[in-house]
Amino acid sequence: MADTDTLTGTLTGTLTAAATGAPDFSGWSCPMPLRDYPRVVMGHGGGGAMSAELVANVFGPAFASATQAALADSAALTLGGARLAFSTDSFVVRPLFFPGGCIGDLAVNGTVNDLAMSGARAAYLSCAAILEEGVEMSVVGRVAQAMGAAARAAGVEVVTGDTKVVESGHGDGLYLNTAGIGLIPAGVDLRPQRARPGDVVIVSGEIGLHGVAIMSVREGLEFGVEISSDCAALGGLVEAMLAVTPDLHVLRDPTRGGLAAALNEIAAAAQVGVTIVERSVPVPPQVANACAILGLDPMYVANEGKLVAFVPREHAEAVLAAMRAHPLGAQAAVIGECVAEHPGMVVARTALGGTRVVDLPLGEQLPRIC
Amino acid sequence: MADTDTLTGTLTGTLTAAATGAPDFSGWSCPMPLRDYPRVVMGHGGGGAMSAELVANVFGPAFASATQAALADSAALTLGGARLAFSTDSFVVRPLFFPGGCIGDLAVNGTVNDLAMSGARAAYLSCAAILEEGVEMSVVGRVAQAMGAAARAAGVEVVTGDTKVVESGHGDGLYLNTAGIGLIPAGVDLRPQRARPGDVVIVSGEIGLHGVAIMSVREGLEFGVEISSDCAALGGLVEAMLAVTPDLHVLRDPTRGGLAAALNEIAAAAQVGVTIVERSVPVPPQVANACAILGLDPMYVANEGKLVAFVPREHAEAVLAAMRAHPLGAQAAVIGECVAEHPGMVVARTALGGTRVVDLPLGEQLPRIC
């Protein structure tokens, strides 16, 4: 019989201390800017508080009844008796090609992963391209080939598309959009709102690789070792996890805004606290080094092939084992737990025994990362 | 009992003459350029032969098994037992606001109409925006409001979204993408491949308004009377038509490339001939005047609230009556028929009694019209 205290051994002790010995955060509030921006700034696309505010204040009210749903990366809906997940993302990453991938496989995996976070296996994708006049046809061809290969790898079919061309100087080579639909299996109900105190927080592997890979090529930085994006499709990993139990509570892929944004969104949506042990978060040395040089926090750096799971404690050990048995979850680790204290807030226990608030990022550390 | 000879009275006579008395087109072939373009040019986004070639040569092979499907504006598929239509379009129209609409309602109606052409009532939409740094927030807000209003008018819910921001000089204020899903009613199978000799070709109203409206504001032209885009959601009109019979053969919204492109795509897909009587095509005087000044052919000018239908002859009169009873079909008119002769080719009988080939347009008359 699984002994979750063995599983989360050190963690449980540390977390309890963190939860009970932490400073009183009751007067604290998230620094949502709530400012009137007369014009769009880069931060509105960063996936942090400014993005959330743009959606909440501009798009949400316009779409009226759909306010909440429109905020979702992936919508769960019923159509013709089928329970479907439906999701979309545009991709404006620069450069178009980077170590470990390109905008093409990113566009496929990004939407496949958004669907997977609803528990759905992606079935069909759309692909819409906005080409800039003058872009080399060979670039378009390589990107299309990468999309096709990624789609076949993920077992998803591209069934409908669109191509537009804009004048030179009104694009950046190539922008892509994918939307996807997939079936949500019976009994699966994955939503940020379902996080519950007691849930164990598991991350599927090392964080920060996508963001640092983009940064290294964009800024011409070298960190001694080439860092590749972790861009990958997570549908198979999620299926392995759901085979343990359909009763996972939340899955989230920590893309723009990193792990910090994902955990904050969940904490806010469920009005629960999240407590993590900083040293248990798997940060590979090359990411740690790059972040140290650049003055960044790995918690805020984008990932494209990782997920964070909120798992009922009784299933945590089996789910962790299933993840580790999958190639994309081999480095899976328990990083914290969901608590009743400090609702809406993410708190990290630092390596030195201190406690800090892990804020929702405001804008972005690095724009156009996906 | 409907007398289709009464319905298509003059037409039938003229068409028969056109079909039998026409020059021999057997040696003719569509001027598909089949050229190697080293770089993307504006014509690749025009919805004509160059767009088709880009899809056929670059995207199609990359997506492998999905080649045919990827060419479709709207894919019909089965998921969880439900028959769904799935479609996407990006919108890069310039200017963002034009007489009769803006990029926001265009983005909603464009995808709603693509779904309607599969016979599906749009149920859910995604909305992804690529904002250019520096665009006025009030512009984003007005566009979002227009999307919301158009969605409510069309009875479709925006359920998932995405926002990206690109640096100033890498966009043009705002690009939108929508994808949509809807249920295809039982017994409905609308595909270009289903066009059959004998089908009556009906257009739902006056053509050319969207393209001329955009042109008039973009080029600062005045044609004595303001011309408004016909941008509208066609789901209700299609429902009214399908209520007559689910056995319509083809519906198509003649957007980029106009009626000429839509008819050519159908003729090519079904390997049938299409014969139209030029004077029966409803061209409003202001479109005719504008086209005369600009040297354009109304057959190639974009529409955003019109459809062309291929209807089995025995249902044509009843379908036409149902269309005329709907506000968006009040000016519906029979414009021609589907024939066994000149497969893959669209032939027009001119007002002077001559016959001409209506080619698939190569590129575009006016870029960024949608």
Side-chain angles (χ1 to χ4, degrees), chain A residues 93 95-107 142-144 146-147 231:
Chain A
V93 64
L96 298 177
F97 300 89
F98 47 81
C102 76
I103 191 171
D105 39 284
L106 192 63
R142 285 168 62 203
V143 168
M147 290 193 80
C231 185

Side-chain angles (χ1 to χ4, degrees), chain B residues 120-206:
Chain B
R121 184 79 183 212
Y124 299 104
L125 287 189
S126 66
C127 163
I130 298 177
L131 309 178
E132 185 185 16
E133 178 188 26
V135 65
E136 294 87 344
M137 197 61 84
S138 62
V139 166
V140 181
R142 284 168 61 202
V143 168
Q145 291 290 332
M147 291 193 80
R152 284 186 290 278
V156 62
E157 199 176 352
V158 181
V159 290
T160 183
D162 179 55
T163 308
K164 294 291 191 300
V165 180
V166 295
E167 296 86 353
S168 178
H170 289 296
D172 201 0
L174 165 82
Y175 298 144
L176 292 177
N177 176 282
T178 52
I181 51 178
L183 274 183
I184 301 175
V188 172
D189 180 21
L190 291 162
R191 285 177 289 127
Q193 292 79 4
R194 289 196 69 220
R196 290 286 172 276
D199 283 356
V200 174
V201 180
I202 305 177
V203 69
S204 66
E206 296 180 325

Side-chain angles (χ1 to χ4, degrees), chain A:
Chain A
M1 179 54 212
D3 177 355
T4 54
D5 278 333
T6 307
L7 164 72
T8 51
T10 323
L11 193 62
T12 306
T14 319
L15 284 169
T16 308
T20 57
D24 177 14
F25 289 112
S26 55
W28 182 90
S29 69
C30 174
M32 282 284 268
L34 294 171
R35 273 176 275 167
D36 280 332
Y37 280 90
R39 290 174 183 274
V40 169
V41 298
M42 294 305 294
H44 284 117
M50 290 174 66
S51 291
E53 194 180 50
L54 178 67
V55 173
N57 293 346
V58 177
F59 289 103
F63 299 154
S65 64
T67 307
Q68 274 311 107
L71 292 167
D73 278 347
S74 175
L77 47 93
T78 302
L79 195 57
R83 278 186 77 216
L84 303 179
F86 180 34
S87 182
T88 190
D89 263 329
S90 288
F91 296 85
V92 299
V93 64
R94 192 173 60 166
L96 298 177
F97 300 89
F98 47 81
C102 76
I103 191 171
D105 39 284
L106 192 63
V108 169
N109 292 336
T111 291
V112 164
N113 290 350
D114 278 347
L115 295 173
M117 299 308 111
S118 293
R121 183 80 181 213
Y124 298 103
L125 286 189
S126 65
C127 164
I130 298 176
L131 309 178
E132 185 186 16
E133 178 188 27
V135 65
E136 294 87 346
M137 198 60 85
S138 62
V139 166
V140 181
R142 285 168 62 203
V143 168
Q145 291 290 331
M147 290 193 80
R152 284 185 290 276
V156 63
E157 198 178 352
V158 182
V159 289
T160 183
D162 178 56
T163 309
K164 295 290 192 300
V165 180
V166 295
E167 296 85 355
S168 177
H170 288 296
D172 202 0
L174 167 80
Y175 299 142
L176 292 178
N177 176 281
T178 52
I181 52 179
L183 273 182
I184 302 175
V188 172
D189 180 22
L190 291 161
R191 285 176 289 128
Q193 292 79 4
R194 290 195 68 218
R196 290 285 173 275
D199 284 356
V200 174
V201 180
I202 304 177
V203 70
S204 65
E206 296 179 327
I207 66 165
L209 290 161
H210 178 72
V212 169
I214 297 287
M215 240 175 286
S216 66
V217 283
R218 177 127 34 112
E219 312 298 336
L221 301 173
E222 296 189 13
F223 304 113
V225 53
E226 184 176 274
I227 300 174
S228 282
S229 169
D230 59 338
C231 185
L234 296 169
L237 176 62
V238 170
E239 281 191 342
M241 297 167 70
L242 289 171
V244 175
T245 171
D247 189 33
L248 306 178
H249 286 168
V250 191
L251 297 181
R252 197 82 170 178
D253 53 337
T255 56
R256 282 183 296 182
L259 198 52
L263 294 175
N264 268 282
E265 285 169 27
I266 296 165
Q271 279 300 300
V272 294
V274 175
T275 306
I276 64 166
V277 176
E278 219 166 42
R279 68 164 186 278
S280 66
V281 178
V283 180
Q286 65 271 40
V287 169
N289 291 343
C291 286
I293 291 167
L294 296 165
L296 301 178
D297 182 338
M299 291 287 290
Y300 293 89
V301 177
N303 312 276
E304 289 292 345
K306 297 298 179 314
L307 63 81
V308 60
F310 281 57
V311 181
R313 189 164 290 264
E314 64 271 26
H315 300 301
E317 187 168 16
V319 168
L320 185 66
M323 293 173 77
R324 287 182 174 162
H326 190 280
L328 293 176
Q331 264 89 47
V334 172
I335 62 167
E337 66 177 351
C338 188
V339 298
E341 294 81 14
H342 51 80
M345 197 183 304
V346 180
V347 172
R349 189 77 172 176
T350 68
L352 299 176
T355 306
R356 67 174 175 113
V357 173
V358 180
D359 276 337
L360 181 64
L362 193 63
E364 85 302 322
Q365 295 181 317
L366 181 75
R368 297 182 53 188
I369 203 147
C370 60

Side-chain angles (χ1 to χ4, degrees), chain B residues 316-335:
Chain B
E317 188 170 16
V319 168
L320 185 66
M323 293 173 77
R324 287 184 172 160
H326 190 281
L328 292 176
Q331 263 88 46
V334 173
I335 61 167

